[in-house]
Amino acid sequence: MSSFTPRPQEGRIPPFRRRLARTSALALMAGTLPWLPTVAYGQQDAADAKAPVVALPAIDVDKDFVPGGMSVPPVDGHLGRQAIADRRTGTPDTAALLSGLPGMALQGAGGISSLPVIRGLGDDRVLTLVNNVPITASCPNHMNPALSYIAPGDVGAIDVLAGVTPVSRGGDNIGGTIAVTTPDPQFAGEGQGLAVHGDASTAFRSVNNGTTVGGHLSAATDRYVVSYAGSWSRGDDYDRGGDGKSVNSTLFETQSHALSLAARVGEDGVLEVRGGVQVTPYEGFANQRMDMTDNRGTSVDAHYKAGFAWGRLDATAYWQHVRHAMNFLADKGGYDDGGMPMNTRSNADGYTVKADIPLSAADTLRVGNEFHHYALDDWWPPVGGMMAMMMGPNTFHTINGGTRDRLGTYVEWERTWGGGWSSLAGLRNDTVWTGTGTVSGYNASYAKDAAAFNARDRSRTDANVDATAELRYAVGDQATVDLGYARKSRSPNLYERYAWSTGNMASSMITWNGDGNFYVGNPDLKPEVANTVSTSLSWHAATAADGEGATPPPAWEVRLTPYYSYIEDYISQRRLGTVVSNGVSFAKVMFANRDARTYGVDLSGRATVWRDADLGVLGVSGSLGWVRGQTVSDDDGLYHMMPLNGRIGVEHTLGGWHGAVDVQMVDAKTKVDHLLNEPTTPGYTLVNLRGSYSWGNIRVDVAIENLMDKAYALPLGGIDYGDWQAGNHTTPLGSLPGPGRSFNAGLTVAF
Ligand SMILES: [Cu+2]
């Protein structure tokens, strides 16, 4: 829903929190750089660190000042504790929390696995970090992307950095960075002894009989914190709008648990070690030929942050193991007869180290180094029964001992010049090594492809160089202008390079686009390199200090961001042919580099209509996103470009009450990727209502989503393969319908 909330209940905010937040906001408004973690992030963290464990009181002091990219924010989108608390009743899918942020769209996948798209670039083109750890989807259909491993209720904050991003916020991506963090450990105050906090929450969604149960428990002294976070969610196939018919293969169940130990180290340091497990016993994929029948992720990561005389140090070390299985859930026929098993296993480990070094009052130097090792095996055991002849008698090895290692190093210099000018410049190298072992197929019919693949040199080294330069000018105290350029690179993933079989069955299994097409890897793929220019123009009302010396948020803000990217060697496809299956033509393609361009505009704004002690605060907000993407050689549309879309929200807050009406409008999708037979979709308008009330430690949420029960197709949802399959291919293969009206309710109790 809406990404800003005016909060009037200042009497309920502890004074120290309010001061911290305002200091941070003032620093931002005074023309401090948008990428300035030392001020914006440090103090935001400090404000969050003193907050209660859950965002129960309906107050988010930060959010007034960082309203999803509409103020003068350090990021293009920010979801704080309150925004997440407002949204998590509506979805068990962490990526879906980002819905409605300017420039952001979601590519449809399973119930907890949407793939975020930023300004037309999605999936692997966006770097997704959870507590600084990059997580790779280990599946030929990308069913288990990074955000599927963390539940919405366990998220502390999400920052979105689009397009021109500082090199210190990650390499090996061309679309931007989504940085998810869990709440900071809550140490007890000095002399407070042992402090125990916790909360339990539950949510229900009528559209799929969805249920989420979650809880947190932490015990803290002034030096140590031990905490647990757990979440369980399930949902049946959801009902589509209009006729309420359920959409096949959209069911899921998942649970995650994390245990963390944090300790103060020295005067200013914190060491935190987290261990987590995630188990997804089933998740349907309506736009894929396969479903997830098991996914188990195990991870351990350690973080150390400390301040020294020379600056700040932030270091992370991590390990993650994933076991993933696909087959057919009951909607697609089940696998009592063995079905078609497909397995994936991956290991990742690595570290990141970064240092912020203030050189003078005006200059900050940032340096960092990181290494990411990733190993992947993907194999498909032989199939029994009628299909044994085709898919047997041997195991099919898609990726055998694949590795993708990356060493990244960067240096970044930030300077405040005075007179309203500030700048940031960074240079980064990411060397990426990929390779894989020899492969073999089910039987002799795969021998020719396998022999050719095994005979060739499969090791590749990409030396990628990224650079970012940004300039900001504060025009008085009511406007800022940002101008930025970035060169950013992404090396191909292991499937793009090494999915070796040109056979129809095998290549139909390689696609994360939800399109049913047939993809063949290409070892000669080069990294894609985006050259992006963007400018961001922000205006906001002048602000004046109130009687306490604090400053309320500006009465209105508007932000306009046009952008243009020329992408050399965009990882696209070239057509090998057409495969007609049950009367439907699918594209058979090989991954191939082609130059492409993306361009567009994000517009967002908000205004406080009134702010009154008796009537509360009424605010309006809105956003508009327009993006285009084309190949340069033939002007064909790029895949999964969100059509023109906008939203308008009205929000009201009074005491413990917070209510919102949100209208989302999406234009017809007519610019499509013809090479991949991308379907067009009609335009639609959705109305959502949401309200919450907090009494002390209890919070109740209610919402009606898709109030009018509108029937519509998801523009980035891919094909409705599940229904087509369940209907024995007797109906046309259409676009995936979106969910119909849902009554949602949530309850949270904290102690
Ligand atoms: Cu999979």
Side-chain angles (χ1 to χ4, degrees):
M1 288 197 122
S2 166
S3 53
F4 104 96
T5 316
R7 297 290 178 195
Q9 310 135 295
E10 308 198 320
R12 301 181 55 173
I13 307 171
F16 60 86
R17 258 193 97 188
R18 198 163 47 185
R19 229 173 7 253
L20 278 167
R22 283 174 175 156
T23 313
S24 159
L26 286 172
L28 292 171
M29 287 178 188
T32 320
L33 290 169
W35 45 78
L36 190 64
T38 44
V39 175
Y41 288 71
Q43 297 191 5
Q44 218 159 283
D45 285 353
D48 269 352
K50 292 187 174 61
V53 178
V54 286
L56 256 192
I59 295 167
D60 190 276
V61 284
D62 308 326
K63 208 174 136 232
D64 278 346
F65 297 99
V66 193
M70 293 172 213
S71 162
V72 189
V75 289
D76 296 284
H78 172 83
L79 296 180
R81 309 165 67 85
Q82 185 62 47
I84 289 162
D86 285 348
R87 289 159 184 240
R88 70 180 194 203
T89 297
T91 180
D93 180 5
T94 296
L97 297 174
L98 300 164
S99 165
L101 291 187
M104 179 66 68
L106 296 171
Q107 186 183 316
I112 57 156
S113 299
S114 300
L115 298 162
V117 179
I118 301 176
R119 294 178 185 166
L121 301 170
D123 199 353
D124 278 1
R125 295 191 166 102
V126 173
L127 174 67
T128 311
L129 303 170
V130 177
N131 283 339
N132 249 353
V133 178
I135 299 169
T136 312
S138 297
C139 162
N141 304 153
H142 288 193
M143 290 178 172
N144 46 15
L147 297 184
S148 67
Y149 290 98
I150 182 165
D154 298 338
V155 173
I158 308 181
D159 283 340
V160 177
L161 293 96
V164 175
T165 59
V167 294
S168 61
R169 299 305 294 260
D172 201 26
N173 76 85
I174 62 170
T177 302
I178 295 173
V180 174
T181 46
T182 52
D184 281 340
Q186 311 291 308
F187 293 99
E190 234 171 287
Q192 198 187 332
L194 186 71
V196 178
H197 291 287
D199 68 80
S201 63
T202 183
F204 173 78
R205 306 165 193 99
S206 70
V207 75
N208 64 346
N209 293 318
T211 309
T212 297
V213 178
H216 303 90
L217 187 65
S218 83
T221 68
D222 60 346
R223 296 206 68 80
Y224 300 96
V225 183
V226 53
S227 56
Y228 163 80
S231 179
W232 174 87
S233 274
R234 65 164 296 286
D236 297 336
D237 286 340
Y238 68 70
D239 298 338
R240 66 186 189 188
D243 59 9
K245 190 175 169 296
S246 67
V247 177
N248 276 289
S249 301
T250 56
L251 71 178
F252 64 90
E253 180 178 330
T254 186
Q255 59 178 300
S256 62
H257 306 272
L259 194 63
S260 105
L261 292 162
R264 287 198 191 281
V265 182
E267 286 224 341
D268 185 29
V270 174
L271 174 69
E272 186 175 14
V273 180
R274 290 169 57 88
V277 292
Q278 182 250 38
V279 178
T280 303
Y282 60 89
E283 185 179 7
F285 281 76
N287 58 16
Q288 294 286 356
R289 294 170 190 275
M290 306 302 296
D291 297 308
M292 184 191 280
T293 50
D294 197 22
N295 196 82
R296 284 155 198 269
T298 314
S299 63
V300 179
D301 46 76
H303 307 267
Y304 173 65
K305 278 191 215 179
F308 298 93
W310 53 263
R312 289 199 66 81
L313 181 71
D314 188 324
T316 306
Y318 58 88
W319 170 86
Q320 192 205 23
H321 179 70
V322 174
R323 286 196 75 107
H324 171 74
M326 293 195 289
N327 211 316
F328 307 119
L329 293 176
D331 287 1
K332 287 183 188 145
Y335 57 99
D336 289 346
D337 60 351
M340 183 186 160
M342 300 172 69
N343 299 323
T344 313
R345 168 175 66 205
S346 71
N347 262 307
D349 50 71
Y351 68 83
T352 70
V353 186
K354 53 184 164 187
D356 276 27
I357 308 163
L359 299 176
S360 72
D363 298 272
T364 300
L365 184 71
R366 219 162 274 135
V367 293
N369 176 262
E370 54 197 50
F371 181 69
H372 181 70
H373 165 69
Y374 178 71
L376 178 80
D377 288 303
D378 193 306
W379 72 101
W380 309 342
V383 171
M386 280 167 36
M387 304 301 275
M389 282 285 284
M390 268 175 69
M391 290 181 260
N394 304 314
T395 294
F396 185 102
H397 292 278
T398 327
I399 305 280
N400 181 29
T403 55
R404 189 179 189 279
D405 296 338
R406 179 172 59 81
L407 179 67
T409 309
Y410 60 83
V411 55
E412 189 170 276
W413 170 48
E414 183 182 314
R415 180 173 170 83
T416 308
W417 297 88
W421 290 92
S422 41
S423 68
L424 176 114
L427 195 63
R428 174 172 184 121
N429 167 255
D430 285 278
T431 301
V432 181
W433 296 269
T434 66
T436 182
T438 55
V439 295
S440 55
Y442 287 116
N443 51 48
S445 69
Y446 294 90
K448 187 167 169 244
D449 280 351
F453 184 79
N454 294 339
R456 66 182 299 169
D457 176 19
R458 297 176 302 274
S459 297
R460 295 290 180 274
T461 303
D462 307 322
N464 299 332
V465 177
D466 288 6
T468 297
E470 294 193 66
L471 195 61
R472 163 172 278 212
Y473 179 54
V475 189
D477 63 352
Q478 280 184 262
T480 51
V481 180
D482 284 281
L483 186 63
Y485 161 79
R487 174 194 155 98
K488 288 156 67 77
S489 324
R490 176 182 78 94
S491 284
N493 68 41
L494 292 176
Y495 294 102
E496 285 167 334
R497 259 192 183 146
Y498 301 127
W500 55 273
S501 175
T502 60
N504 283 351
M505 198 290 301
S507 59
S508 75
M509 294 294 140
I510 312 291
T511 173
W512 40 90
N513 289 322
D515 59 358
N517 286 329
F518 298 58
Y519 290 76
V520 180
N522 178 355
D524 294 325
L525 274 186
K526 289 181 284 206
E528 53 189 8
V529 179
N531 290 277
T532 304
V533 285
S534 76
T535 178
S536 202
L537 312 164
S538 306
W539 298 268
H540 59 83
T543 51
D546 63 19
E548 293 176 59
T551 309
W556 57 268
E557 304 165 73
V558 180
R559 189 175 195 228
L560 177 72
T561 306
Y563 53 89
Y564 178 91
S565 260
Y566 187 94
I567 308 166
E568 295 165 62
D569 296 321
Y570 181 80
I571 296 174
S572 174
Q573 299 80 26
R574 87 183 148 78
R575 192 113 181 188
L576 299 177
T578 297
V579 181
V580 178
S581 164
N582 295 297
V584 176
S585 292
F586 293 97
K588 185 168 183 176
V589 295
M590 176 178 270
F591 289 105
N593 295 111
R594 301 167 82 194
D595 287 3
R597 59 183 164 243
T598 58
Y599 50 95
V601 179
D602 290 336
L603 174 67
S604 57
R606 56 156 286 260
T608 304
V609 179
W610 76 63
R611 180 177 288 269
D612 182 277
D614 297 323
L615 298 174
V617 175
L618 185 75
V620 295
S621 65
S623 64
L624 189 75
W626 178 80
V627 62
R628 285 277 182 271
Q630 292 126 7
T631 50
V632 170
S633 59
D634 60 3
D635 279 342
D636 193 13
L638 297 189
Y639 219 14
H640 294 317
M641 292 287 145
M642 190 67 185
L644 176 69
N645 63 94
R647 48 158 295 279
I648 296 173
V650 179
E651 298 193 43
H652 178 236
T653 306
L654 178 63
W657 158 255
H658 175 54
V661 182
D662 191 79
V663 180
Q664 189 192 350
M665 292 150 288
V666 179
D667 197 10
K669 183 177 170 73
T670 54
K671 307 281 186 196
V672 293
D673 186 331
H674 293 94
L675 182 92
L676 295 170
N677 304 340
E678 184 177 18
T680 58
T681 53
Y684 59 91
T685 298
L686 302 180
V687 180
N688 305 308
L689 306 179
R690 190 187 71 209
S692 67
Y693 199 87
S694 304
W695 301 264
N697 286 346
I698 298 174
R699 173 182 166 133
V700 173
D701 282 87
V702 289
I704 308 176
E705 292 184 353
N706 193 355
L707 178 71
M708 314 306 285
D709 200 31
K710 174 80 182 165
Y712 69 106
L714 294 162
L716 307 188
I719 56 173
D720 188 12
Y721 183 86
D723 286 330
W724 186 62
Q725 186 77 358
N728 271 323
H729 317 123
T730 52
T731 51
L733 176 58
S735 295
L736 187 66
R741 179 165 45 225
S742 186
F743 296 92
N744 302 337
L747 175 69
T748 306
V749 179
F751 53 87

